[in-house]
Amino acid sequence: MEPAQYQLMDAAEDGMWWYRALHAEVLDALAAGQPGPGPLLDAGCGTGGFLARLRRARPDLAAVGVEYHLPTAMRAAAKSGHPVLRGTVHALPFAEGSFAAVVSLDVLCHAAVDPARALPELRRVLRPGGLLVLNLPAFDWLRSGHDLRVQNARRFTARRVAGLLAAVGLAGVRLRYWNSLLLPLMVARRKLAPRAALAQSDVAAYPAWLDRGLYAVTRLERRLRMLGIPFPAGGSVLATARRP
């Protein structure tokens, strides 16, 4: 990504509503998937926001990150207190079967990443029965200036993600869209806003009242989903799968 985007992410991810919602979704997926004992890998950990959240939520869980951009990897280690190695998801610096769980959040969408090369690596470092958790931006028609800023080359549908996971031999695939209740607002911002706004990143400091309100909507959505209410579309798609 552009260096300025790393700086924006670093400043925002501890408090911005979207990151808090994302991290809650991933923690829910880990709790539901119940990976066996063993360490977790955050593959493409950025500035370490999820690793820091994981340390607060699960101080008992050993975790390690991998990040390609060296200054960002150093920042992630300092922020999270977990070790972070410089590396690429195309050639992870770990032995086969090293991890009980692998998390990769908004990484396979990047222009520098080839999902056909990265997914076999994510599978390789999982133990048999290990859990993979992926988050990805949804729907190509939602592409905007934010995607350009963070160098997203692709957005995904649940069906496409299911096919990619099956193609590398992962099993027990489960998918869901999230950030669904806010999807109309997302469409309006990305498609109807003035041209100058469309060129901006979505990562920003929101007014406190707005940030609280947006996060409250994501919490409501999580509660509705726990009641069994499905959401057929959303701004992101979250997938879990296991290595047989």
Side-chain angles (χ1 to χ4, degrees):
M1 292 192 298
E2 299 173 2
Q5 290 303 311
Y6 283 119
Q7 295 171 10
L8 286 173
M9 181 192 303
D10 187 26
E13 64 185 347
D14 286 341
M16 181 182 162
W17 69 273
W18 188 86
Y19 286 105
R20 288 189 290 149
L22 169 64
H23 297 165
E25 293 282 347
V26 176
L27 289 173
D28 284 350
L30 288 170
Q34 297 183 332
L40 175 146
L41 171 65
D42 187 349
C45 66
T47 53
F50 178 70
L51 286 172
R53 175 69 183 271
L54 185 68
R55 191 175 188 87
R56 295 191 295 270
R58 291 288 308 276
D60 60 304
L61 184 61
V64 62
V66 165
E67 171 57 42
Y68 181 77
H69 188 246
L70 180 58
T72 302
M74 295 171 65
R75 174 57 184 149
K79 176 187 285 190
S80 69
H82 287 293
V84 177
L85 283 65
R86 183 182 183 273
T88 169
V89 292
H90 293 152
L92 291 167
F94 303 103
E96 181 167 351
S98 294
F99 297 97
V102 173
V103 168
S104 189
L105 308 180
D106 295 331
V107 174
L108 299 184
C109 50
H110 286 177
V113 175
D114 179 0
R117 293 174 61 193
L119 278 171
E121 275 294 280
L122 299 180
R123 181 191 187 279
R124 180 185 66 81
V125 300
L126 274 173
R127 296 175 180 174
L131 181 71
L132 174 66
V133 181
L134 294 178
N135 191 76
L136 293 162
F139 302 118
D140 279 330
W141 52 265
L142 276 176
R143 286 181 59 82
S144 71
H146 173 77
D147 294 281
L148 295 176
R149 293 287 186 181
V150 300
Q151 297 185 13
N152 281 347
R154 59 195 71 88
R155 300 178 70 92
F156 294 81
T157 63
R159 178 178 294 182
R160 181 182 179 189
V161 176
L164 290 169
L165 295 174
V168 297
L170 290 163
V173 176
R174 296 186 177 183
L175 301 110
R176 67 171 184 261
Y177 290 105
W178 70 274
N179 208 10
S180 303
L181 295 180
L182 290 172
L183 183 59
L185 184 61
M186 186 176 179
V187 172
R189 172 177 167 77
R190 293 192 168 203
K191 301 303 179 183
L192 303 178
R195 184 178 297 273
L198 292 175
Q200 297 174 2
S201 169
D202 291 346
V203 179
Y206 287 69
W209 64 269
L210 180 56
D211 194 273
R212 286 194 301 268
L214 294 171
Y215 184 63
V217 174
T218 68
R219 290 184 63 187
L220 172 62
E221 180 179 311
R222 287 174 62 214
R223 291 183 182 133
L224 293 173
R225 187 174 62 247
M226 290 175 185
L227 293 174
I229 298 174
F231 293 97
S236 295
V237 57
L238 189 140
T240 60
R242 293 189 184 276
R243 177 175 178 176

